[in-house]
Amino acid sequence: MANVTLQDVRKVYPNGFEAIYPCSFEVPDGEFVVLVGPSGCGKSTLLRMVAGLEPITEGDLSIGARIVNDVDPADRNIAMVFQNYALYPHMTVAKNMGYGLKNRGTSKAEIDKKVRAAAEMLNLSDYLDRRPSQLSGGQRQRVAMGRAIVREPDLFLFDEPLSNLDAKLRNQMRIEVRALQRRLGVTSMYVTHDQVEAMTMADRIIVMNAGRIEQIGTPGEIYGRPASTFVASFMGAPPMNLLNGMAGDGAVRLDGGEQVPHAPVNGHAGALMVGIRPEDVLLSEAGDLAFNVHIVEELGALRLLHGEVGGQAFSVSVAKDQNAQVGQTRLSVKPSSVHLFDAAEGRRL
């Protein structure tokens, strides 16, 4: 096991496109870090740089105490699990799992021992003689993970490994991957575009946008104190409501004129963005803000109300047993739940 350190790492392609702007962070030994962001934000490129599959334009990448910028992928003692499993279709499960060890010259007896131990850990013991075509998607992903485990790497890299699975299986595999990583204690970097995966799996999250790191923090920090409007809108389902407003005279008012209660003005003045999460308001006839409900969306345990506050789009999350209907109502804002952002750059105030 090892820690991973990136110091001013940058990626520029020959055509001049800057895929990764200079970034620095450290993944401590044994930590599970998730890189999350929309398609094209650079998260997979960054992971491939750590793997050695993409050259680094500038900066230093260290795994443990060794700078590995020019070290071949095979010599970095890492294991990577891909989205498409990357299994050999003509090989059995056992041979797929042990293939990397065979290439290292490991004895047959040692390969068999490690493969069987990993198979037991992953509930694959009954499938060792089958080929990938005879397995379900979840079982194939377990085989790919088993192939990584038997190598006993310093670092696990996961590149959207669950995106090909259906929703129910994805939820199950999320739990299995996280439990397995905790059991093994191997430093791990995991790439996904799914913010739910990021929130539920990570020790820390790195939110990326257009080649830049927007914020690094625990799931609680990312969700509770987003550093920008991008993070606020990307992390959360449904996303945070973002409203145009103005600060002045010790208060914040929306563009429609409504005063926002509990806003942490702190001397700010001028245009800003007001952020309120859908679950941080309550339906109340004596509430602070007028809410015009257009649509009631039934989600089983919850109801989502979509409408307008002061002429701006707004969503509210309420319990399934709470009376909710289309039309006019009012909202109370919970204390300490209002977030303010700079109107021009979107950074947290």
Side-chain angles (χ1 to χ4, degrees):
M1 295 183 288
N3 61 315
V4 180
T5 304
L6 285 79
Q7 185 64 47
D8 296 324
V9 167
R10 181 173 178 242
K11 175 66 180 181
V12 183
Y13 286 103
N15 65 1
F17 174 68
E18 190 159 8
I20 301 292
Y21 291 85
C23 66
S24 301
F25 62 87
E26 182 175 0
V27 182
D29 188 12
E31 188 173 62
F32 193 106
V33 165
V34 175
L35 301 167
V36 66
S39 298
C41 71
K43 56 189 184 296
S44 289
T45 300
L46 191 55
L47 194 78
R48 289 172 62 84
M49 292 162 71
V50 175
L53 304 176
E54 286 280 358
I56 295 172
T57 305
E58 292 178 9
D60 289 323
L61 167 67
S62 301
I63 299 177
R66 180 174 62 152
I67 295 177
V68 297
N69 290 37
D70 300 318
V71 176
D72 288 338
D75 297 325
R76 297 190 182 195
N77 196 27
I78 60 174
M80 194 161 183
V81 180
F82 296 94
Q83 175 180 346
N84 61 359
Y85 318 131
L87 302 177
Y88 295 105
H90 62 287
M91 291 184 181
T92 65
V93 167
K95 288 183 177 179
N96 264 288
M97 290 173 64
Y99 186 72
L101 296 179
K102 181 181 178 181
N103 284 347
R104 287 182 178 181
T106 306
S107 70
K108 288 185 178 180
E110 186 67 14
I111 292 175
D112 184 67
K113 177 183 175 182
K114 290 186 176 183
V115 166
R116 290 188 180 279
E120 184 176 353
M121 190 183 304
L122 294 164
N123 295 318
L124 290 171
S125 297
D126 294 337
Y127 303 95
L128 289 175
D129 294 328
R130 297 191 186 183
R131 286 180 167 76
S133 61
Q134 298 172 293
L135 304 177
S136 68
Q139 289 166 340
R140 291 179 200 175
Q141 193 55 273
R142 289 190 185 96
V143 175
M145 290 166 56
R147 181 180 54 196
I149 291 168
V150 299
R151 295 181 58 188
E152 299 178 348
D154 290 331
L155 175 64
F156 277 142
L157 302 178
F158 298 89
D159 192 4
E160 305 211 37
L162 309 184
S163 59
N164 284 340
L165 305 179
D166 62 62
K168 181 179 179 180
L169 188 54
R170 207 160 51 234
N171 290 344
Q172 177 187 337
M173 289 298 296
R174 233 175 27 219
I175 297 169
E176 291 186 14
V177 170
R178 191 62 178 103
L180 181 66
Q181 189 273 338
R182 282 181 174 162
R183 179 176 176 181
L184 297 172
V186 179
T187 310
S188 300
M189 297 179 68
Y190 185 107
V191 159
T192 182
H193 64 274
D194 186 336
Q195 53 91 16
V196 175
E197 276 185 26
M199 291 291 293
T200 56
M201 297 178 74
D203 291 320
R204 280 191 307 152
I205 297 172
I206 298 175
V207 184
M208 296 191 66
N209 179 31
R212 291 183 168 87
I213 293 176
E214 288 273 340
Q215 187 174 0
I216 300 176
T218 66
E221 290 167 346
I222 295 288
Y223 191 81
R225 287 187 59 82
S228 66
T229 52
F230 174 82
V231 177
S233 60
F234 190 79
M235 302 301 293
M240 181 181 287
N241 297 295
L242 293 171
L243 308 170
N244 295 312
M246 183 75 65
D249 299 325
V252 172
R253 295 185 180 277
L254 302 179
D255 281 359
E258 298 87 348
Q259 182 171 332
V260 181
H262 315 303
V265 184
N266 297 331
H268 299 298
L272 43 69
M273 297 291 290
V274 178
I276 304 173
R277 290 210 178 271
E279 67 272 20
D280 285 337
V281 291
L282 302 171
L283 300 182
S284 170
E285 292 183 1
D288 309 292
L289 301 172
F291 180 38
N292 187 15
V293 182
H294 298 323
I295 296 173
V296 178
E297 188 177 6
E298 300 286 353
L299 296 178
L302 298 173
R303 285 174 170 170
L304 280 182
L305 316 183
H306 303 285
E308 293 181 352
V309 168
Q312 302 183 61
F314 200 92
S315 296
V316 176
S317 176
V318 299
K320 64 179 180 180
D321 56 355
Q322 189 163 356
N323 184 35
Q325 53 190 350
V326 172
Q328 291 283 348
T329 185
R330 297 192 69 83
L331 302 174
S332 290
V333 180
K334 297 178 184 178
S336 304
S337 62
V338 178
H339 308 259
L340 300 182
F341 303 92
D342 177 79
E345 298 182 358
R347 304 306 297 178
R348 186 180 189 88
L349 293 174

